[in-house]
Amino acid sequence: MSAILDWPIEASDRHGTALWTASEIAEATGGSVAGGDFAVSGAATDSREVMDGDLFIALLGEAADGHRFVDGAFAKGAAGALVDRAVAHPHVLVGDTTLALDALGRTARARIDAEARVIGVTGSAGKTGVKEALYAALDRSSRGQAHRSVKSYNNHVGVPLSLVRMPARTRFGIFEMGMNHAGELAALTRLVRPHVAVVTTIAPAHIGHFSGEAAIAEAKAEIFEGLEPGGTAIIPADSPHVEVLAAAAGRHAARVVRFGTGADADVRLIDALPTAGGGTLVTTEFAASTGMARKLCYTVSQPGAHWAVNSLAVMAAVAAVGGDLGAAGLALAELPDLAGRGARHRIFAEDGDGSGSALLIDESYNANPASMRATIAQLGATPARRRLAVLGAMKELGEAGERYHAALAEPLVAAGVARVLLVGAEMAALADALGKIERSSLAAGIEFVHVPGAAAAAEIVASPDWAPQGGDAILIKGSNSVGLGVLVKALTQRGANTSDGRLATGDV
C-alpha cells in the first residue's frame, strides 16, 4: 500500500484528462460558453470526421459554411462546438471561428511542458513519410506520449487543427507543414514553433506558382523562421539548393545538420542493402559535428533509395530532440505502409506465372517530378514477370509541365516497364515522348494508352487485355485530384467474391 501511495508525481500530472474543457476553449479564443458546459476528447472541422466526444469547429469556407453541419456533427457524437453564431447545442461563441482555431492552436502549443519537444517537417516530397516515421520512433520511446498531424493535415487549417488535437501531456509533437505559395510556411511555422525543423528535399512540386526551384527552396526555408531559440535545422546535403537552405537556417538555428550521401553530410549514408523482406539495411555515420560521433545500422521496412536517405533525416531529428535511437531503429523496421504513399497489396490475378496474385504499389495520393522518378525506379528494382504503370497527371507545374511529363519516358525505359496507362490531359506530352521512343530501335516493347480520366482508366484496367496477371507488379501514381484511388480500390477488391477460393488480396 505504501508503494502505491508513494507513486511519483510527474509534472504532466497537473494537466486534466480532457483534451479541452469549455472554459479553456473560451479563455483561449476570447469566446463565451453557451448552451451548457462540456469537455471534449478530440476536434474536427469536417462533420464527416466527427467522433464521440469531439469539438466541432464550424469554419466558414470558400465552398460551404460549417455552421450548416452543426446538427449533423452532434448527431455523430460531438460534445461541443466552436461557432460564430448561437446554435441549439453546447458551444463556445466567438466572432470568427478561423481566428479562434488559430488562437486555440497557439494555446495548445503553449501549454505543453517546457521539456517537451516539437518537430516541424516540410519538403517537396517525403514529408508525410518522414513525419510518420518520426511519430513511430518517438511514440515508441515515450510510451505513447507522442503526437502528430494525421494524414496530410499540413495547411492553414490542418496545422492549427493538429495543434488543437495535441494533448497537454505530449512529450513529442511532430507536425507536417506544406505550402504552394511563398509566405505560407512562415505563418504555419510560427504557430508550431518547432525545436527542430526538417526539410526533406527540394523538387519542382507546385512550381507553377514559383519562378523556379530556387524560389521553392527559399519558400521551404521559411520553416526555420519559427524555430525556438537553440533550435536545430536538418537539411538535405545532396540537394543542389543546400546552400540556400543552409544560409536561411543559419539565420535562425543554433545548429544546422546536413543529411545525405556526400562526404560533407553530418549524417551520412554509408551503405544501403536490400533486405529479403523488400526493405533496406542502412548503415549511417554521425559526424563529430553532431556531438555524437557514431555509426548506426538499422533496417527500414519501406523499399527504395529515397527511404534510405529520408531515414537519415529521421535519425538526425530523433537525436536532436534527445530521443532513443535504438527505439527509432526498431520503429523504422516495423513502419507500416502508408495508403496512397507506397502501400503494397497482393491482388487477385489470373494467368501469368500461375501464382494467382500480382503486386500493386499504391502511390495514388501525390505526384511530382522527383517522386515520380523515385517510384518508377523502385518499380524497376522490384522483381516481377512484367512491370506495369498507371500514371496520373502531375499538377501545378506551370509552363514547364509538358517538359516534366515528357521527361518521365527515360525512367520508364530504364525501369523496364512493359505497359503504361497515362491518365489526364497533361500526360499527352509523355504519350508523345513514348510514341517517339516506340518508333525507335531503343525500346520498341513499351506499350501505352492515354485516357482523359480515372473512369476511363478503370475501364481499361478491367479489360482482359490490360488486367494484371500473375507475377506482375503494377504501380499506380498521380496527383490526388486525378482520382486514381478508385483504381486502387477496384483492384484490391478483385477476386473478393471468387468461388474457387483463390483470393489473393491483402497487404504485403
Side-chain angles (χ1 to χ4, degrees), residues 85-148:
R85 68 206 70 164
V87 296
H89 303 280
H91 61 274
V92 171
L93 183 65
V94 296
D96 185 315
T97 52
T98 297
L99 295 178
L101 172 62
D102 284 352
L104 197 57
R106 281 191 293 271
T107 300
R109 172 63 183 86
R111 70 177 181 171
I112 60 175
D113 293 331
E115 61 270 20
R117 287 294 175 263
V118 174
I119 303 173
V121 182
T122 193
S124 300
K127 54 184 175 291
T128 299
V130 167
K131 177 257 298 181
E132 289 295 326
L134 279 167
Y135 170 74
L138 295 169
D139 196 57
R140 191 183 192 112
S141 64
S142 66
R143 300 183 180 182
Q145 289 187 294
H147 170 80
R148 95 293 204 184

Side-chain angles (χ1 to χ4, degrees), residues 363 367 371-373 375-376 379 388-394 405 408-409 411-412 417 419-424 426-427 430 434 449-451 457 474-479 482 484 487:
E363 286 274 359
S371 65
M372 275 285 199
R373 284 180 169 270
T375 50
I376 291 171
L379 176 64
L388 315 175
V390 180
L391 302 182
M394 300 179 288
H405 283 87
L408 296 178
L412 286 168
V417 176
R419 284 182 167 182
V420 186
L421 178 55
L422 307 174
V423 187
E426 296 91 336
M427 277 293 175
L430 178 54
L434 289 174
V449 172
H450 181 208
V451 296
I474 178 169
L475 167 67
I476 299 181
K477 185 170 180 64
S479 291
V482 179
L484 297 185
L487 270 73

Side-chain angles (χ1 to χ4, degrees), residues 17-22 25 38-43 52-56 78-81 164:
T17 55
L19 180 65
W20 295 98
T21 64
I25 296 169
F38 62 89
V40 299
S41 56
D52 281 342
D54 274 357
L55 171 71
F56 176 59
V164 169

Side-chain angles (χ1 to χ4, degrees), residues 3-15:
I4 296 176
L5 294 176
D6 292 339
W7 190 267
I9 303 298
E10 297 185 2
S12 60
D13 290 336
R14 64 185 173 83
H15 300 299

Side-chain angles (χ1 to χ4, degrees), residues 59-66 68 98 156-157:
L59 299 178
L60 181 60
E62 295 179 2
D65 183 349
R68 291 170 44 200
T98 297
H156 64 287
V157 173

